[in-house]
Amino acid sequence: MSILIIAEHDNANLKPATLNTLAAATQIGGDVDVLVVGSDCQAVAKQAVQAQGVTRVLLADNAVYEYQLAENISKLVIELSSAYSHILAPATTTGKNMLPRVAALLDVAQLSDVIKVESADTFVRPIYAGNAIATVQTSDTVKVITIRSTGFDPVSAEGGNAELVTLSQVIESQKSRFVGEELAVSDRPELTAANIIVSGGRGMGSGDNFKILDGVADKLGAAVGASRAAVDAGFVPNDLQVGQTGKTVAPDLYVAVGISGAIQHLAGMKDSKVIVAINKDEEAPIFQVADYGLVADLFEAVPELENAL
Amino acid sequence: MKILVAVKRVVDYNVKVRVQADHKAVELANVKMSINPFCEIAVEEAVRLKEKGVASEIVVVSIGPKGCQETLRTALGLGADRAVQIETEEGVDSLAVAKLIAEVAKTELPDLIIMGKQAIDSDNNQTGQMVAALLDMPQATFASEVVVENGEAQVTREIDGGLQTLAITLPAVVTTDLRLNEPRFIKLPNIMKAKKKPLVVKTPEELGISISSNVSVLSVVPPAERQGGIKVGSVAELVEKLKNEAKVIA
C-alpha cells in the first residue's frame, strides 16, 4: 500500500494539520508520500522532509499553484494517483475544497472528516453534527479521505529523512482565478492547534466586549474562539467560529463564555478534555457538557478570572 | 441566464437525533424533516439573482424518496420556477447524487449551479465539488458573497484564515456558506402558487446513471456520553479546580 497526503501549507510553513494526517496515514500503514503543491514553497518541502514517517516528498512548485485552486491541483493529483491506494488531506477548508474533486475525477467515493482508522478500508466518522458516529467500509480501489485533525495526535515534525522529488507537471487553471484575500491577523496560537481556547458567544453583547477575553487568553497562552451566534452578530470574524460549520477543536481546556451550547457549537468542541462554562443562565445546555460550570455574569467573572490567573 | 439549484431533505436541524436500536442508522421514522439549511440559502441566492434581473429561470432538483417533493415545493414557494425530482431510496451517496445532478445539468444547461456546502445529516461537504469535477466546471465553495457579471462570478469564500475572492468563468458551481444570505419566510399565497408550478419525476434509470455505492455503513452508534460536571461557586474555586483537580493550567 502507498499513501499520498496533500500537505496543508501557506507557501511558507507546513501547517500542523498535515502532521495529524500523517498520524492517520501511519495507522493505515504503507509508504507515505507528501505532496507539497504551491508557489515558492521550497521551505514547506524542507519541513515535510523532516516530518516523521514520510517516505518521499513530492514538490510541485510553480506560480500556477500559488493559491491552491481546486481546478488544477485536482488534475495534478489525478496524474499521480495511479501509484496510490489512499489519497488523504486534512479536513481543512483547502482539503474539503479540493479532495471531493479528486474523488469524482477518479470515480470513487470520498470519506469526509475521518476521526479513527479501523483498518485500511474501514474508517470512523461523525454524522449529524457529531450526534452519531458511523463506521464505514469502502471497496473503492483508491480510498480518498479527509482527516479530522483533532482525531489524531500529530507525528513529530522532526527526525524524518524523506527523499525530495521535484515534479515537473504544470497544469494551469483556466476557468478560475484568484482576485484577493482578507486574512485575519493574530499573535495568538492557531485555533485548531491551541492547547487552551477561550470562546465567546452571543452573551458577549458586542465585538468590543470580546476584548475582555483577550486578557484571559494572554495569561493562559490561549486562542480565542467564538460561537456562530457571535460571528453572525458581527462581533468577530468567521475564522474564529467553532462548530459544525466552523472549526473543530479538541484542546486540553475549552472555556465557553456566554455560549448557550447549541448542538451546532457542541459538534465543534465536545471532544475537549476539560470544558468550563461561564453563563448567567443556569439552564443553558452548555452546563450539561461542562466539567466546571460557573453561573455568573461574564462581565464580572471574566475580569475576576484574569486577575486570579 | 438559468440557475440550477440542488436541495436535500434532511432531519430538521432542531431535532435531537437518536440512533436506531439495531445500530444500523439514525431513527428517521416520525421525525420532522425540512429543507437542509444550506440548500435553503442556495435557493434564496438564486431567487435574489432573479430579482436583480441576472437570472431568468430557476430550476430546483432533489434526489430521494417521494417526501422530497415537499422540499421541492418549499423551494418553489421561495421563488424557484420549476422542479425535478429524481426518485430513489434513502441514502444515495454523494458521488451518485453528483452524477445525477450533472446529468440533469447536461440537459438543462444552466449557467450557474448553486448548492449548499454540506448537508447537516451526512456532513460530507462533497457534492458541489463533485458536480463541478464531473462537468469540468470551475467551483467556488463556501461562498459568503456572489456577484455575477460579464460571464463570470466573483465569489468571496470563507477559508480557514479569513476570506478569499475568486473569479470563476460561467458555467460554474457555487456552494453556499451560512453567511451568504438570510432566507425569506414563505408567504401563504406563494405556498399556493408553488403547488401549481411544474414538478417532474424522473428515475436514475431514465437518466442512465447507476447509483450503486462502494461504501457500506457497518454501524451507527451514539457518541461517547459526556458527563455533566460540577458547578463551582466562585471564580477562585474555578481557578483552584483547574489548577489542582483538572491540572490543565499551571
Side-chain angles (χ1 to χ4, degrees):
Chain A
M1 271 186 310
S2 286
I3 302 172
L4 180 68
I5 295 178
I6 305 168
E8 172 85 10
H9 66 90
D10 59 2
N11 291 324
N13 286 298
L14 187 70
K15 295 291 167 114
T18 312
L19 302 176
N20 304 82
T21 307
L22 267 164
T26 307
Q27 291 180 22
I28 295 167
D31 289 346
V32 182
D33 290 356
V34 173
L35 171 65
V36 175
V37 48
S39 174
D40 212 359
C41 56
Q42 303 271 349
V44 179
K46 282 193 187 124
Q47 292 163 38
V49 161
Q50 284 160 16
Q52 276 299 340
V54 183
T55 309
R56 295 192 306 166
V57 173
L58 312 180
L59 174 63
D61 190 337
N62 192 288
V64 299
Y65 301 128
E66 183 170 5
Y67 300 104
Q68 299 182 38
L69 301 174
E71 289 78 4
N72 55 340
I73 292 184
S74 57
K75 286 183 183 155
L76 173 67
V77 175
I78 297 301
E79 287 195 6
L80 304 171
S81 65
S82 61
Y84 298 99
S85 58
H86 296 71
I87 299 175
L88 272 53
T92 56
T93 48
T94 313
K96 287 174 175 177
N97 184 46
M98 183 189 314
L99 214 60
R101 207 166 164 115
V102 170
L105 293 175
L106 288 172
D107 195 27
V108 299
Q110 189 209 286
L111 303 181
S112 296
D113 269 313
V114 161
I115 55 170
K116 200 171 164 215
V117 174
E118 293 280 349
S119 71
D121 67 359
T122 306
F123 302 89
V124 177
R125 58 177 303 264
I127 53 175
Y128 289 88
N131 286 297
I133 306 295
T135 302
V136 292
Q137 187 171 43
T138 167
S139 60
D140 278 323
T141 47
V142 185
K143 290 146 183 82
V144 178
I145 301 167
T146 60
I147 298 295
R148 180 176 285 192
S149 56
T150 58
F152 300 87
D153 291 330
V155 301
S156 169
E158 285 164 24
N161 186 21
E163 180 193 350
L164 181 64
V165 180
T166 305
L167 301 177
S168 57
Q169 292 100 322
V170 175
I171 302 167
E172 301 222 21
S173 178
Q174 286 152 344
K175 295 177 185 171
S176 175
R177 83 191 141 81
F178 174 84
V179 177
E181 64 189 358
E182 261 178 73
L183 299 181
V185 279
S186 170
D187 302 332
R188 298 221 164 78
E190 203 186 356
L191 201 49
T192 47
N195 292 325
I196 302 180
I197 294 172
V198 181
S199 263
R202 197 194 300 274
M204 299 303 296
S206 76
D208 278 347
N209 290 342
F210 257 76
K211 291 195 186 95
I212 69 170
L213 299 183
D214 290 351
V216 175
D218 286 341
K219 285 203 165 165
L220 292 171
V224 171
S227 70
R228 184 185 150 200
V231 173
D232 281 353
F235 298 172
V236 288
N238 65 283
D239 59 307
L240 296 190
Q241 186 183 322
V242 172
Q244 184 188 19
T245 57
K247 291 194 173 77
T248 310
V249 298
D252 290 337
L253 173 61
Y254 189 90
V255 185
V257 181
I259 291 176
S260 66
I263 292 177
Q264 199 278 137
H265 186 72
L266 298 182
M269 49 63 84
K270 68 182 166 55
D271 294 325
S272 305
K273 200 164 136 207
V274 174
I275 297 174
V276 168
I278 300 174
N279 203 305
K280 64 182 175 190
D281 173 13
E282 65 178 311
E283 302 296 322
I286 190 79
F287 286 118
Q288 291 164 20
V289 299
D291 299 280
Y292 301 104
L294 176 64
V295 181
D297 185 338
L298 69 94
F299 295 105
E300 288 166 19
V302 173
E304 209 182 313
L305 178 60
E306 185 186 340
N307 289 331
L309 290 169
Chain B
M1 67 174 212
K2 190 196 272 190
I3 301 179
L4 182 68
V5 183
V7 295
K8 184 176 184 183
R9 180 175 187 257
V10 297
V11 172
D12 188 88
Y13 73 97
N14 283 311
V15 171
K16 176 114 179 76
V17 295
R18 283 177 301 117
V19 169
Q20 284 176 10
D22 62 4
H23 290 168
K24 293 282 183 222
V26 159
E27 192 62 71
L28 293 179
N30 303 316
V31 171
K32 186 186 179 201
M33 305 292 279
S34 299
I35 183 171
N36 178 46
F38 292 100
C39 301
E40 194 177 12
I41 292 167
V43 178
E44 174 69 30
E45 194 64 19
V47 174
R48 289 185 189 193
L49 287 169
K50 193 177 172 189
E51 287 168 347
K52 282 184 201 155
V54 175
S56 50
E57 188 185 25
I58 302 166
V59 181
V60 281
V61 58
S62 190
I63 290 141
K66 197 162 174 64
C68 69
Q69 289 190 10
E70 264 174 57
T71 313
L72 287 168
R73 293 289 173 201
T74 303
L76 294 170
L78 283 163
D81 296 297
R82 57 191 175 83
V84 180
Q85 181 212 357
I86 300 165
E87 179 124 21
T88 65
E89 302 287 312
E90 294 281 1
V92 179
D93 78 15
S94 305
L95 182 62
V97 167
K99 285 179 182 174
L100 290 166
I101 293 169
E103 198 58 32
V104 171
K106 282 177 194 164
T107 48
E108 295 285 352
L109 300 174
D111 302 280
L112 189 60
I113 301 174
I114 311 182
M115 303 173 62
K117 79 163 177 181
Q118 78 191 64
I120 60 165
D121 52 0
S122 52
D123 283 337
N124 275 323
N125 195 331
Q126 297 172 359
T127 313
Q129 295 89 316
M130 288 178 160
V131 170
L134 296 172
L135 294 169
D136 195 23
M137 286 183 187
Q139 68 187 45
T141 50
F142 329 141
S144 59
E145 196 186 349
V146 178
V147 179
V148 178
E149 55 186 12
N150 305 327
E152 62 176 29
Q154 287 234 2
V155 182
T156 303
R157 306 175 55 229
E158 305 212 346
I159 59 170
D160 283 333
L163 300 171
Q164 177 192 64
T165 305
L166 297 180
I168 49 175
T169 308
L170 301 182
V173 177
V174 169
T175 72
T176 65
D177 217 314
L178 283 167
R179 270 163 293 278
L180 181 57
N181 62 49
E182 193 148 332
R184 66 197 64 192
F185 288 103
I186 307 175
K187 296 192 185 97
L188 187 62
N190 289 343
I191 296 176
M192 302 310 290
K193 271 188 227 158
K195 286 184 183 167
K196 296 194 179 106
K197 290 181 179 176
L199 189 160
V200 300
V201 180
K202 293 184 176 174
T203 63
E205 293 74 32
E206 280 170 17
L207 296 171
I209 301 292
S210 160
I211 57 167
S212 67
S213 175
N214 286 334
V215 176
S216 52
V217 177
L218 302 184
S219 76
V220 175
V221 297
E225 274 297 315
R226 209 185 160 100
Q227 299 295 326
I230 57 163
K231 292 244 171 86
V232 293
S234 68
V235 169
E237 192 187 342
L238 175 63
V239 172
E240 190 273 320
K241 295 270 188 207
L242 290 178
K243 277 186 179 161
N244 301 322
E245 195 176 274
K247 297 188 174 30
V248 284
I249 58 175

